[in-house]
Amino acid sequence: MATKILCRTMLLLGLVLSLTVFAAGCGGTKPDNVKPASAPASPSTEKKPVLSDKPAEWKADGVIADKEYSKMQTLGEIEIYSRIDVDRVRMALKAKTQGYVAIGFDPSERMKDADIILGFVKDGKASVTDMFSTGPTGPHPPDDQQGGRNDVTVFGGSKKDGVTIIEFERKLITGDQKDKVIKVGDNKIIWAISEDEAFGGRHTKRGSGVLKL
């Protein structure tokens, strides 16, 4: 009789211990080899400007408004918005940088012979100049220091949240010996960005491509 009671007691103790272990495993402490699932990445909330075949009013204010441009092309680290209005091109260059953004038209070898437009925003004021590169790695002084002239006189810009936007206009054909003809269609270009707010600053990123206007 005593033996039967002892067996029943041990059986009950074993059952209680099993239930205790099971409850601990489900209730709170996670096993060491289980990692919590990471939260899904939030999608980008940046809204791209609406483009239009018949763009609305253009303003060189550093704001890329809806229907202000007819085309947008991303080349490397830079977004290029463009429109052709009769005899001139109007453009916006946008990049994640605190310094300048630049575009160069029709280089012959690397930077050589490129017609460069470079701009930045410093202390809330945009500065843009028309340059011409004399060698494969520069230099690229302003046109008016090389017997040419500055043909980019209408421009504006902004800098916000680490993003710089430069807007400008230029005639497709200026007649200046230090300018290249900008064509409706394919244009061979180079681009560059820098963290320097200066015309002579060294670029941090650069590239090349074909811009379709």
Side-chain angles (χ1 to χ4, degrees), residues 12-210:
L12 287 172
L13 285 172
L15 181 60
V16 170
L17 286 171
S18 297
L19 289 173
T20 302
V21 171
F22 177 78
C26 294
T29 306
K30 296 181 176 67
D32 291 339
N33 61 345
V34 177
K35 295 181 180 179
S38 58
S42 300
S44 174
T45 57
E46 183 183 9
K47 180 179 176 292
K48 294 291 186 182
V50 176
L51 304 176
S52 175
D53 291 336
K54 296 181 179 180
E57 181 183 6
W58 180 80
K59 293 181 180 180
D61 56 3
V63 177
I64 303 173
D66 284 343
K67 299 183 179 180
E68 189 175 13
Y69 292 95
S70 59
K71 293 185 178 182
M72 191 281 280
Q73 192 170 343
T74 300
L75 293 174
E77 303 290 326
I78 193 169
E79 292 180 1
I80 304 173
Y81 293 79
S82 62
R83 62 188 281 176
I84 300 292
D85 293 317
V86 190
D87 64 343
R88 64 196 61 215
V89 62
R90 288 168 169 161
M91 303 183 71
L93 308 179
K94 178 181 178 181
K96 189 174 182 179
T97 181
Q98 297 285 353
Y100 70 65
V101 293
I103 186 170
F105 293 92
D106 195 25
S108 61
E109 178 191 355
R110 298 175 69 183
M111 292 175 62
K112 183 174 172 57
D113 300 323
D115 176 10
I116 297 172
I117 298 169
L118 184 153
F120 57 88
V121 179
K122 185 175 182 179
D123 299 328
K125 181 181 178 181
S127 297
V128 177
T129 196
D130 186 6
M131 302 173 161
F132 186 83
S133 182
T134 60
T137 59
H140 42 80
D143 288 7
D144 56 15
Q145 295 179 14
Q146 302 185 66
R149 64 174 182 269
N150 179 20
D151 287 288
V152 183
T153 58
V154 178
F155 59 84
S158 66
K159 181 165 59 177
K160 183 180 179 181
D161 299 329
V163 174
T164 293
I165 297 174
I166 292 293
E167 293 186 289
F168 65 89
E169 73 170 26
R170 206 210 79 174
K171 285 187 175 181
L172 298 172
I173 304 173
T174 67
D176 183 355
Q177 62 177 335
K178 295 300 179 181
D179 287 336
K180 296 296 185 72
V181 174
I182 298 176
K183 300 174 288 187
V184 177
D186 292 352
N187 292 267
K188 181 182 176 182
I189 69 155
I190 55 176
W191 61 267
I193 61 176
S194 172
E195 292 301 319
D196 290 335
E197 300 167 320
F199 291 120
R202 184 173 180 80
H203 56 69
T204 53
K205 295 181 181 179
R206 60 186 174 87
S208 61
V210 176

